[in-house]
PDB file of all heavy atoms in Angstrom:
ATOM      1  N   ILE K   1     219.677 -40.741 -20.688  1.00 93.00           N
ATOM      2  CA  ILE K   1     218.859 -41.050 -19.429  1.00 93.00           C
ATOM      3  C   ILE K   1     218.392 -42.502 -19.532  1.00 93.00           C
ATOM      4  O   ILE K   1     218.391 -43.129 -20.561  1.00 93.00           O
ATOM      5  CB  ILE K   1     217.585 -40.166 -19.258  1.00 93.00           C
ATOM      6  CG1 ILE K   1     216.597 -40.387 -20.444  1.00 93.00           C
ATOM      7  CG2 ILE K   1     217.959 -38.688 -19.207  1.00 93.00           C
ATOM      8  CD1 ILE K   1     215.195 -39.669 -20.228  1.00 93.00           C
ATOM      9  N   GLN K   2     218.026 -42.909 -18.388  1.00 95.00           N
ATOM     10  CA  GLN K   2     217.388 -44.204 -18.202  1.00 95.00           C
ATOM     11  C   GLN K   2     216.392 -44.102 -17.023  1.00 95.00           C
ATOM     12  O   GLN K   2     216.764 -43.346 -16.054  1.00 95.00           O
ATOM     13  CB  GLN K   2     218.334 -45.404 -17.913  1.00 95.00           C
ATOM     14  CG  GLN K   2     217.876 -46.728 -17.884  1.00 95.00           C
ATOM     15  CD  GLN K   2     218.915 -47.842 -17.904  1.00 95.00           C
ATOM     16  OE1 GLN K   2     220.101 -47.437 -17.911  1.00 95.00           O
ATOM     17  NE2 GLN K   2     218.600 -48.951 -17.977  1.00 95.00           N
ATOM     18  N   TYR K   3     215.154 -44.486 -17.078  1.00 95.00           N
ATOM     19  CA  TYR K   3     214.257 -44.246 -16.017  1.00 95.00           C
ATOM     20  C   TYR K   3     213.263 -45.332 -15.727  1.00 95.00           C
ATOM     21  O   TYR K   3     213.094 -46.204 -16.561  1.00 95.00           O
ATOM     22  CB  TYR K   3     213.497 -42.930 -16.310  1.00 95.00           C
ATOM     23  CG  TYR K   3     212.493 -42.997 -17.478  1.00 95.00           C
ATOM     24  CD1 TYR K   3     211.171 -43.306 -17.228  1.00 95.00           C
ATOM     25  CD2 TYR K   3     212.832 -42.890 -18.698  1.00 95.00           C
ATOM     26  CE1 TYR K   3     210.263 -43.491 -18.252  1.00 95.00           C
ATOM     27  CE2 TYR K   3     211.943 -42.913 -19.741  1.00 95.00           C
ATOM     28  CZ  TYR K   3     210.626 -43.169 -19.548  1.00 95.00           C
ATOM     29  OH  TYR K   3     209.689 -43.229 -20.513  1.00 95.00           O
ATOM     30  N   LYS K   4     212.704 -45.391 -14.527  1.00 96.00           N
ATOM     31  CA  LYS K   4     211.653 -46.319 -14.091  1.00 96.00           C
ATOM     32  C   LYS K   4     210.541 -45.361 -13.526  1.00 96.00           C
ATOM     33  O   LYS K   4     210.695 -44.516 -12.721  1.00 96.00           O
ATOM     34  CB  LYS K   4     212.207 -47.216 -12.948  1.00 96.00           C
ATOM     35  CG  LYS K   4     213.207 -48.214 -13.416  1.00 96.00           C
ATOM     36  CD  LYS K   4     213.659 -49.059 -12.220  1.00 96.00           C
ATOM     37  CE  LYS K   4     214.737 -50.007 -12.877  1.00 96.00           C
ATOM     38  NZ  LYS K   4     215.260 -50.858 -11.814  1.00 96.00           N
ATOM     39  N   LEU K   5     209.419 -45.701 -14.059  1.00 96.00           N
ATOM     40  CA  LEU K   5     208.130 -44.942 -13.740  1.00 96.00           C
ATOM     41  C   LEU K   5     207.271 -45.795 -12.807  1.00 96.00           C
ATOM     42  O   LEU K   5     207.021 -46.911 -13.131  1.00 96.00           O
ATOM     43  CB  LEU K   5     207.355 -44.609 -14.980  1.00 96.00           C
ATOM     44  CG  LEU K   5     206.018 -43.803 -14.813  1.00 96.00           C
ATOM     45  CD1 LEU K   5     206.327 -42.435 -14.224  1.00 96.00           C
ATOM     46  CD2 LEU K   5     205.283 -43.641 -16.128  1.00 96.00           C
ATOM     47  N   TYR K   6     206.854 -45.231 -11.710  1.00 97.00           N
ATOM     48  CA  TYR K   6     206.069 -45.896 -10.775  1.00 97.00           C
ATOM     49  C   TYR K   6     204.719 -45.257 -10.539  1.00 97.00           C
ATOM     50  O   TYR K   6     204.595 -44.007 -10.580  1.00 97.00           O
ATOM     51  CB  TYR K   6     206.700 -45.933  -9.329  1.00 97.00           C
ATOM     52  CG  TYR K   6     208.053 -46.747  -9.383  1.00 97.00           C
ATOM     53  CD1 TYR K   6     209.176 -46.095  -9.685  1.00 97.00           C
ATOM     54  CD2 TYR K   6     208.043 -48.142  -9.103  1.00 97.00           C
ATOM     55  CE1 TYR K   6     210.395 -46.854  -9.646  1.00 97.00           C
ATOM     56  CE2 TYR K   6     209.205 -48.830  -9.124  1.00 97.00           C
ATOM     57  CZ  TYR K   6     210.370 -48.220  -9.431  1.00 97.00           C
ATOM     58  OH  TYR K   6     211.654 -48.830  -9.435  1.00 97.00           O
ATOM     59  N   ARG K   7     203.602 -46.071 -10.226  1.00 96.00           N
ATOM     60  CA  ARG K   7     202.340 -45.503  -9.795  1.00 96.00           C
ATOM     61  C   ARG K   7     201.904 -46.267  -8.540  1.00 96.00           C
ATOM     62  O   ARG K   7     201.734 -47.505  -8.646  1.00 96.00           O
ATOM     63  CB  ARG K   7     201.337 -45.513 -10.850  1.00 96.00           C
ATOM     64  CG  ARG K   7     199.927 -44.967 -10.568  1.00 96.00           C
ATOM     65  CD  ARG K   7     199.007 -44.932 -11.663  1.00 96.00           C
ATOM     66  NE  ARG K   7     198.941 -46.234 -12.377  1.00 96.00           N
ATOM     67  CZ  ARG K   7     199.120 -46.373 -13.677  1.00 96.00           C
ATOM     68  NH1 ARG K   7     199.521 -45.316 -14.428  1.00 96.00           N
ATOM     69  NH2 ARG K   7     199.033 -47.531 -14.274  1.00 96.00           N
ATOM     70  N   GLY K   8     201.757 -45.569  -7.411  1.00 97.00           N
ATOM     71  CA  GLY K   8     201.322 -46.286  -6.244  1.00 97.00           C
ATOM     72  C   GLY K   8     202.245 -47.295  -5.807  1.00 97.00           C
ATOM     73  O   GLY K   8     201.912 -48.301  -5.176  1.00 97.00           O
ATOM     74  N   GLY K   9     203.566 -47.093  -5.955  1.00 96.00           N
ATOM     75  CA  GLY K   9     204.615 -48.005  -5.610  1.00 96.00           C
ATOM     76  C   GLY K   9     204.876 -49.151  -6.590  1.00 96.00           C
ATOM     77  O   GLY K   9     205.859 -49.911  -6.459  1.00 96.00           O
ATOM     78  N   ALA K  10     203.899 -49.366  -7.610  1.00 97.00           N
ATOM     79  CA  ALA K  10     204.139 -50.403  -8.591  1.00 97.00           C
ATOM     80  C   ALA K  10     204.811 -49.870  -9.767  1.00 97.00           C
ATOM     81  O   ALA K  10     204.514 -48.822 -10.334  1.00 97.00           O
ATOM     82  CB  ALA K  10     202.797 -50.896  -8.982  1.00 97.00           C
ATOM     83  N   LEU K  11     205.757 -50.640 -10.365  1.00 96.00           N
ATOM     84  CA  LEU K  11     206.510 -50.307 -11.565  1.00 96.00           C
ATOM     85  C   LEU K  11     205.589 -50.358 -12.788  1.00 96.00           C
ATOM     86  O   LEU K  11     204.874 -51.308 -12.990  1.00 96.00           O
ATOM     87  CB  LEU K  11     207.680 -51.282 -11.731  1.00 96.00           C
ATOM     88  CG  LEU K  11     208.569 -50.980 -13.045  1.00 96.00           C
ATOM     89  CD1 LEU K  11     209.281 -49.715 -12.867  1.00 96.00           C
ATOM     90  CD2 LEU K  11     209.572 -52.120 -13.154  1.00 96.00           C
ATOM     91  N   VAL K  12     205.485 -49.138 -13.369  1.00 93.00           N
ATOM     92  CA  VAL K  12     204.582 -49.045 -14.653  1.00 93.00           C
ATOM     93  C   VAL K  12     205.424 -49.203 -15.904  1.00 93.00           C
ATOM     94  O   VAL K  12     204.998 -49.842 -16.851  1.00 93.00           O
ATOM     95  CB  VAL K  12     203.844 -47.702 -14.598  1.00 93.00           C
ATOM     96  CG1 VAL K  12     203.072 -47.565 -15.884  1.00 93.00           C
ATOM     97  CG2 VAL K  12     203.138 -47.448 -13.348  1.00 93.00           C
ATOM     98  N   TYR K  13     206.678 -48.692 -16.015  1.00 92.00           N
ATOM     99  CA  TYR K  13     207.470 -48.772 -17.084  1.00 92.00           C
ATOM    100  C   TYR K  13     208.944 -48.574 -16.735  1.00 92.00           C
ATOM    101  O   TYR K  13     209.355 -47.795 -15.855  1.00 92.00           O
ATOM    102  CB  TYR K  13     207.079 -47.558 -18.088  1.00 92.00           C
ATOM    103  CG  TYR K  13     207.967 -47.629 -19.321  1.00 92.00           C
ATOM    104  CD1 TYR K  13     207.722 -48.486 -20.304  1.00 92.00           C
ATOM    105  CD2 TYR K  13     209.024 -46.705 -19.509  1.00 92.00           C
ATOM    106  CE1 TYR K  13     208.481 -48.512 -21.446  1.00 92.00           C
ATOM    107  CE2 TYR K  13     209.679 -46.662 -20.599  1.00 92.00           C
ATOM    108  CZ  TYR K  13     209.544 -47.636 -21.635  1.00 92.00           C
ATOM    109  OH  TYR K  13     210.306 -47.536 -22.716  1.00 92.00           O
ATOM    110  N   SER K  14     209.807 -49.327 -17.416  1.00 93.00           N
ATOM    111  CA  SER K  14     211.279 -49.181 -17.230  1.00 93.00           C
ATOM    112  C   SER K  14     211.912 -49.023 -18.643  1.00 93.00           C
ATOM    113  O   SER K  14     211.747 -49.840 -19.514  1.00 93.00           O
ATOM    114  CB  SER K  14     211.778 -50.512 -16.493  1.00 93.00           C
ATOM    115  OG  SER K  14     213.219 -50.493 -16.389  1.00 93.00           O
ATOM    116  N   SER K  15     212.657 -48.028 -18.842  1.00 92.00           N
ATOM    117  CA  SER K  15     213.233 -47.607 -20.177  1.00 92.00           C
ATOM    118  C   SER K  15     214.587 -48.330 -20.262  1.00 92.00           C
ATOM    119  O   SER K  15     215.152 -48.658 -19.280  1.00 92.00           O
ATOM    120  CB  SER K  15     213.401 -46.113 -20.280  1.00 92.00           C
ATOM    121  OG  SER K  15     214.523 -45.695 -19.637  1.00 92.00           O
ATOM    122  N   GLY K  16     214.906 -48.432 -21.508  1.00 90.00           N
ATOM    123  CA  GLY K  16     216.320 -48.744 -21.753  1.00 90.00           C
ATOM    124  C   GLY K  16     217.231 -47.496 -21.646  1.00 90.00           C
ATOM    125  O   GLY K  16     216.733 -46.459 -21.247  1.00 90.00           O
ATOM    126  N   HIS K  17     218.397 -47.580 -22.209  1.00 93.00           N
ATOM    127  CA  HIS K  17     219.358 -46.490 -22.258  1.00 93.00           C
ATOM    128  C   HIS K  17     218.924 -45.607 -23.411  1.00 93.00           C
ATOM    129  O   HIS K  17     218.813 -46.036 -24.530  1.00 93.00           O
ATOM    130  CB  HIS K  17     220.749 -47.031 -22.502  1.00 93.00           C
ATOM    131  CG  HIS K  17     221.826 -46.066 -22.372  1.00 93.00           C
ATOM    132  ND1 HIS K  17     222.199 -45.290 -23.481  1.00 93.00           N
ATOM    133  CD2 HIS K  17     222.584 -45.618 -21.390  1.00 93.00           C
ATOM    134  CE1 HIS K  17     223.235 -44.460 -23.113  1.00 93.00           C
ATOM    135  NE2 HIS K  17     223.430 -44.701 -21.785  1.00 93.00           N
ATOM    136  N   LEU K  18     218.611 -44.287 -23.133  1.00 93.00           N
ATOM    137  CA  LEU K  18     218.061 -43.392 -24.088  1.00 93.00           C
ATOM    138  C   LEU K  18     218.946 -42.213 -24.240  1.00 93.00           C
ATOM    139  O   LEU K  18     219.386 -41.612 -23.323  1.00 93.00           O
ATOM    140  CB  LEU K  18     216.675 -42.930 -23.728  1.00 93.00           C
ATOM    141  CG  LEU K  18     215.612 -43.979 -23.568  1.00 93.00           C
ATOM    142  CD1 LEU K  18     214.383 -43.319 -22.845  1.00 93.00           C
ATOM    143  CD2 LEU K  18     215.255 -44.699 -24.909  1.00 93.00           C
ATOM    144  N   GLU K  19     219.165 -41.709 -25.524  1.00 93.00           N
ATOM    145  CA  GLU K  19     219.986 -40.566 -25.851  1.00 93.00           C
ATOM    146  C   GLU K  19     219.038 -39.315 -25.599  1.00 93.00           C
ATOM    147  O   GLU K  19     217.971 -39.291 -26.156  1.00 93.00           O
ATOM    148  CB  GLU K  19     220.424 -40.449 -27.229  1.00 93.00           C
ATOM    149  CG  GLU K  19     221.194 -39.242 -27.525  1.00 93.00           C
ATOM    150  CD  GLU K  19     221.640 -39.257 -29.051  1.00 93.00           C
ATOM    151  OE1 GLU K  19     221.574 -40.325 -29.669  1.00 93.00           O
ATOM    152  OE2 GLU K  19     221.964 -38.215 -29.576  1.00 93.00           O
ATOM    153  N   LEU K  20     219.465 -38.409 -24.741  1.00 91.00           N
ATOM    154  CA  LEU K  20     218.669 -37.212 -24.468  1.00 91.00           C
ATOM    155  C   LEU K  20     218.742 -36.237 -25.565  1.00 91.00           C
ATOM    156  O   LEU K  20     219.818 -35.864 -25.951  1.00 91.00           O
ATOM    157  CB  LEU K  20     219.188 -36.608 -23.193  1.00 91.00           C
ATOM    158  CG  LEU K  20     218.226 -35.389 -22.678  1.00 91.00           C
ATOM    159  CD1 LEU K  20     216.815 -35.802 -22.387  1.00 91.00           C
ATOM    160  CD2 LEU K  20     218.891 -34.774 -21.440  1.00 91.00           C
ATOM    161  N   ARG K  21     217.627 -35.895 -26.248  1.00 90.00           N
ATOM    162  CA  ARG K  21     217.592 -35.071 -27.338  1.00 90.00           C
ATOM    163  C   ARG K  21     217.240 -33.575 -27.027  1.00 90.00           C
ATOM    164  O   ARG K  21     217.777 -32.634 -27.718  1.00 90.00           O
ATOM    165  CB  ARG K  21     216.639 -35.627 -28.464  1.00 90.00           C
ATOM    166  CG  ARG K  21     216.993 -37.038 -28.921  1.00 90.00           C
ATOM    167  CD  ARG K  21     215.865 -37.616 -29.802  1.00 90.00           C
ATOM    168  NE  ARG K  21     215.564 -36.821 -30.951  1.00 90.00           N
ATOM    169  CZ  ARG K  21     215.970 -36.987 -32.144  1.00 90.00           C
ATOM    170  NH1 ARG K  21     216.717 -38.124 -32.391  1.00 90.00           N
ATOM    171  NH2 ARG K  21     215.614 -36.304 -33.101  1.00 90.00           N
ATOM    172  N   GLU K  22     216.301 -33.398 -26.094  1.00 88.00           N
ATOM    173  CA  GLU K  22     215.887 -32.056 -25.803  1.00 88.00           C
ATOM    174  C   GLU K  22     215.425 -31.990 -24.332  1.00 88.00           C
ATOM    175  O   GLU K  22     214.788 -32.864 -23.900  1.00 88.00           O
ATOM    176  CB  GLU K  22     214.740 -31.764 -26.800  1.00 88.00           C
ATOM    177  CG  GLU K  22     214.109 -30.288 -26.579  1.00 88.00           C
ATOM    178  CD  GLU K  22     212.953 -30.156 -27.533  1.00 88.00           C
ATOM    179  OE1 GLU K  22     212.227 -31.104 -27.895  1.00 88.00           O
ATOM    180  OE2 GLU K  22     212.740 -28.985 -27.890  1.00 88.00           O
ATOM    181  N   THR K  23     215.523 -30.766 -23.801  1.00 87.00           N
ATOM    182  CA  THR K  23     214.860 -30.549 -22.437  1.00 87.00           C
ATOM    183  C   THR K  23     214.182 -29.248 -22.648  1.00 87.00           C
ATOM    184  O   THR K  23     214.842 -28.180 -23.115  1.00 87.00           O
ATOM    185  CB  THR K  23     216.028 -30.316 -21.442  1.00 87.00           C
ATOM    186  OG1 THR K  23     216.786 -31.490 -21.304  1.00 87.00           O
ATOM    187  CG2 THR K  23     215.329 -30.060 -20.052  1.00 87.00           C
ATOM    188  N   ARG K  24     212.879 -29.149 -22.443  1.00 86.00           N
ATOM    189  CA  ARG K  24     212.176 -27.906 -22.569  1.00 86.00           C
ATOM    190  C   ARG K  24     211.053 -27.831 -21.606  1.00 86.00           C
ATOM    191  O   ARG K  24     210.829 -28.753 -20.765  1.00 86.00           O
ATOM    192  CB  ARG K  24     211.653 -27.877 -23.944  1.00 86.00           C
ATOM    193  CG  ARG K  24     210.631 -28.986 -24.302  1.00 86.00           C
ATOM    194  CD  ARG K  24     210.048 -28.895 -25.727  1.00 86.00           C
ATOM    195  NE  ARG K  24     209.382 -30.067 -26.093  1.00 86.00           N
ATOM    196  CZ  ARG K  24     208.080 -30.333 -25.690  1.00 86.00           C
ATOM    197  NH1 ARG K  24     207.396 -29.553 -24.924  1.00 86.00           N
ATOM    198  NH2 ARG K  24     207.518 -31.470 -26.076  1.00 86.00           N
ATOM    199  N   ARG K  25     210.399 -26.664 -21.569  1.00 85.00           N
ATOM    200  CA  ARG K  25     209.185 -26.457 -20.628  1.00 85.00           C
ATOM    201  C   ARG K  25     207.866 -26.487 -21.637  1.00 85.00           C
ATOM    202  O   ARG K  25     207.880 -26.093 -22.742  1.00 85.00           O
ATOM    203  CB  ARG K  25     209.199 -24.996 -20.126  1.00 85.00           C
ATOM    204  CG  ARG K  25     210.316 -24.827 -19.147  1.00 85.00           C
ATOM    205  CD  ARG K  25     209.824 -25.273 -17.793  1.00 85.00           C
ATOM    206  NE  ARG K  25     211.054 -25.126 -16.890  1.00 85.00           N
ATOM    207  CZ  ARG K  25     211.022 -25.533 -15.655  1.00 85.00           C
ATOM    208  NH1 ARG K  25     209.975 -26.282 -15.305  1.00 85.00           N
ATOM    209  NH2 ARG K  25     211.919 -25.323 -14.929  1.00 85.00           N
TER     210      ARG K  25
END
C-alpha cells in the first residue's frame, strides 16, 4: 500500500511504498 492522510483537506501524512503485513479488525 501507499497512502495520503488528510484532515480538513490539508495533507497530514504521505507514506512511501509499504509492504502490507496484516489486515484485521
Side-chain angles (χ1 to χ4, degrees):
I1 64 169
Q2 191 168 359
Y3 69 96
K4 292 181 181 179
L5 180 64
Y6 297 89
R7 182 175 46 241
L11 181 64
V12 177
Y13 179 76
S14 178
S15 80
H17 190 270
L18 302 169
E19 179 184 341
L20 189 60
R21 299 170 58 100
E22 177 186 33
T23 304
R24 62 179 169 78
R25 294 274 183 192

